[in-house]
Amino acid sequence: DAGVIQSPRHEVTEMGQEVTLRCKPISGHDYLFWYRQTMMRGLELLIYFNNNVPIDDSGMPEDRFSAKMPNASFSTLKIQPSEPRDSAVYFCASGPGKSNTQYFGPGTRLTVL
Amino acid sequence: AQKITQTQPGMFVQEKEAVTLDCTYDTSDQSYGLFWYKQPSSGEMIFLIYQGSYDEQNATEGRYSLNFQKARKSANLVISASQLGDSAMYFCAMREVNGNQFYFGTGTSLTVIP
């Protein structure tokens, strides 16, 4: 079975540009999570969805960040405009509600110059 | 207060020895889950083991076991017979079922010495 798929794996962009990160969760999983990992702040939960509905977005740093889940097999995290401090690895994870376990994608390494 | 505390930023263990990675948690919920993840230098996050708050027995998965002490609110990971490939960051995490909240610790870096 395919795991969580994220694209792109690496993204380098210039400050002020729009960045869109994509995630395809494991089929059948009803939870989807977006995390950001940096050396300074560790692993931060940004937002999570249950059955495509955003449940908690309190971790989204500011209005420049937005996330959508238009259907059960696709989610996006958008940063507009991007800033150098957004440079991080962004993970998407999915999980079946009953087991509580989250399965992580390979991550997207974002560098904003 | 920190929800998940990992007090060991770095640990070393001799190959083939056992090692315990500490994790304490803070919750007032009765229903919660505890997890451990491994993050090797390649960057991916790998699920290792899960313990439910109502589980009577400690969870085990191969060489991994979770030493669950509910009264102490600790969920230590024990790795037996360490291998060089166990060198990685290890994260403890918790899900509070009622509040539907998820928390990760700051991680412990484990180095296995040949």
Side-chain angles (χ1 to χ4, degrees):
Chain A
D1 289 340
V4 175
I5 299 172
Q6 290 186 249
S7 65
R9 295 293 308 276
H10 300 273
E11 177 80 28
V12 180
T13 190
E14 292 186 346
M15 183 174 63
Q17 297 297 306
E18 177 179 297
V19 175
T20 299
L21 310 181
R22 297 172 176 80
C23 175
K24 178 179 169 56
I26 294 172
S27 177
H29 284 185
D30 51 357
Y31 280 82
L32 184 139
F33 307 82
W34 282 101
Y35 289 90
R36 177 172 68 177
Q37 187 177 36
T38 61
M39 288 294 293
M40 291 296 294
R41 300 176 69 90
L43 196 64
E44 302 173 275
L45 176 62
L46 300 177
I47 185 172
Y48 76 91
F49 296 82
N50 180 213
N51 292 321
N52 312 338
V53 176
I55 302 299
D56 185 354
D57 65 354
S58 59
M60 295 285 263
E62 47 199 275
D63 291 344
R64 297 184 297 107
F65 286 69
S66 62
K68 294 182 180 179
M69 192 166 185
N71 56 62
S73 60
F74 184 66
S75 177
T76 59
L77 178 68
K78 186 177 293 187
I79 309 171
Q80 166 63 18
S82 58
E83 296 182 4
R85 59 193 169 118
D86 301 331
S87 297
V89 178
Y90 291 81
F91 286 102
C92 175
S94 72
K98 285 188 176 181
S99 79
N100 302 303
T101 302
Q102 299 177 38
Y103 296 89
F104 282 72
T108 294
R109 182 172 295 277
L110 173 66
T111 302
V112 183
L113 302 174
Chain B
Q2 291 285 340
K3 284 288 190 177
I4 297 287
T5 302
Q6 295 181 253
T7 57
Q8 308 153 313
M11 289 281 287
F12 292 85
V13 65
Q14 204 75 38
E15 192 179 6
K16 299 180 185 179
E17 297 293 310
V19 63
T20 298
L21 306 183
D22 295 341
C23 173
T24 57
Y25 59 93
D26 180 29
T27 182
S28 56
D29 279 17
Q30 296 301 308
S31 182
Y32 52 90
L34 299 157
F35 309 81
W36 279 91
Y37 288 85
K38 173 184 178 181
Q39 187 176 39
S41 57
S42 53
E44 70 268 35
M45 293 283 283
I46 303 167
F47 165 71
L48 294 179
I49 196 167
Y50 164 78
Q51 177 87 40
S53 58
Y54 293 115
D55 293 341
E56 295 285 334
Q57 294 191 332
N58 289 340
T60 60
E61 289 286 347
R63 295 184 299 109
Y64 304 109
S65 61
L66 199 152
N67 185 358
F68 181 44
Q69 298 189 42
K70 198 169 184 176
R72 292 186 175 186
K73 293 189 175 178
S74 75
N76 299 340
L77 177 70
V78 180
I79 306 174
S80 62
S82 297
Q83 302 172 356
L84 296 178
D86 294 335
S87 294
M89 282 289 288
Y90 288 81
F91 292 93
C92 179
M94 174 176 68
R95 177 193 179 188
E96 292 177 329
V97 175
N98 289 336
N100 237 354
Q101 295 295 312
F102 300 83
Y103 308 94
F104 274 78
T106 52
T108 295
S109 175
L110 176 67
T111 302
V112 180
I113 304 167

